Amino acid sequence: GIQVEQSPPDLILQEGANSTLRCNFSDSVNNLQWFHQNPWGQLINLFYIPSGTKQNGRLSATTVATERYSLLYISSSQTTDSGVYFCAVVFGNEKLTFGTGTRLTIIP
Amino acid sequence: ETGVTQTPRHLVMGMTNKKSLKCEQHLGHNAMYWYKQSAKKPLELMFVYSLEERVENNSVPSRFSPECPNSSHLFLHLHTLQPEDSALYLCASSQAGARGSPLHFGNGTRLTVT
């Protein structure tokens, strides 16, 4: 079946540090999205990025579709960045499939 | 006002109760979704409605019954649930289905079945 793997599963960083989260997928995608779920459970759409690079403030994302991975970069981490980061992909006409997430904890 | 609103935020119900979860989107989208999020598991898609028609039912037990009266509202009716149904239930919406546009989630309803 479709495989979406995220790494690392857990990441603990000091405030101000930079981080890179990775999403690997097993087939060509026509839709890839990154989400942040805060400690209260709210899921926020960060990027819709099936290919290329996008930036939004301290966050940026790059998807290399031909090599089947996407990276989410967080610079100058803040405590409000804590939570779980999910990538989700669509293969062909299949439904959006979520990875198991990376739990990020930013320590003051 | 947030784009996708879910009520209630928390719900505790017994196995013999009947309750409903409500979702409302203010984004002008034409597709709405129910997802289930259990501890240590990826988000599971339950139902998809596109233009008020159910287009996907992901092998969900009949004790969960969705209703989409219009493109802005989505309900999930619950009846005789089991303790393993305890989870965070998330509603989402998008334009033209999730395959081609960003998905926007509500804050979720945390359900506990006793």
Side-chain angles (χ1 to χ4, degrees):
Chain A
I2 299 163
Q3 301 292 325
V4 182
E5 296 179 353
Q6 291 186 244
S7 60
D10 293 278
L11 185 59
I12 301 174
L13 296 173
Q14 205 75 36
E15 195 170 25
N18 301 329
S19 59
T20 300
L21 282 58
R22 187 177 181 100
C23 174
N24 291 333
F25 39 92
S26 58
D27 206 340
S28 301
V29 301
N30 52 26
N31 181 339
L32 187 145
Q33 302 181 38
W34 281 99
F35 297 88
H36 173 223
Q37 187 169 37
N38 66 23
W40 298 272
Q42 186 179 13
L43 267 163
I44 303 295
N45 193 304
L46 299 176
F47 294 103
Y48 169 71
I49 186 167
S51 64
T53 297
K54 290 186 178 179
Q55 181 156 6
N56 184 1
R58 296 181 295 102
L59 274 62
S60 64
T62 296
T63 298
V64 184
T66 54
E67 297 187 21
R68 301 180 183 173
Y69 72 88
S70 182
L71 302 174
L72 178 68
Y73 304 97
I74 304 173
S75 63
S76 304
S77 299
Q78 301 176 0
T79 54
T80 52
D81 295 330
S82 295
V84 183
Y85 290 81
F86 293 99
C87 73
V89 302
V90 174
F91 302 86
N93 291 321
E94 298 296 315
K95 62 181 183 290
L96 196 66
T97 300
F98 282 78
T100 52
T102 292
R103 182 174 298 278
L104 177 65
T105 303
I106 304 299
I107 301 172
Chain B
E1 186 175 89
T2 58
V4 182
T5 304
Q6 287 187 244
T7 55
R9 291 297 308 275
H10 301 272
L11 178 62
V12 180
M13 60 185 289
M15 289 189 285
T16 58
N17 292 158
K18 291 183 182 180
K19 297 286 185 182
S20 296
L21 310 184
K22 179 182 177 182
C23 177
E24 184 174 0
Q25 60 97 1
H26 307 277
L27 300 169
H29 289 161
N30 58 14
M32 297 186 76
Y33 312 77
W34 281 115
Y35 281 85
K36 176 183 178 182
Q37 187 177 31
S38 305
K40 309 291 185 185
K41 294 174 70 174
L43 271 77
E44 303 171 57
L45 179 63
M46 300 175 72
F47 301 104
V48 181
Y49 277 82
S50 179
L51 299 173
E52 302 162 36
E53 296 291 325
R54 189 190 311 180
V55 297
E56 190 156 346
N57 177 346
N58 214 25
S59 302
V60 179
S62 59
R63 56 186 183 269
F64 295 91
S65 175
E67 178 189 1
C68 187
N70 55 60
S71 60
S72 299
H73 293 86
L74 185 66
F75 295 90
L76 187 63
H77 303 299
L78 315 173
H79 177 53
T80 59
L81 296 191
Q82 304 298 311
E84 60 265 29
D85 296 323
S86 298
L88 181 66
Y89 289 84
L90 291 156
C91 172
S93 71
S94 71
Q95 190 63 26
R99 299 184 180 94
S101 67
L103 203 62
H104 294 266
F105 283 90
N107 289 338
T109 294
R110 189 162 296 282
L111 173 67
T112 302
V113 181
T114 59

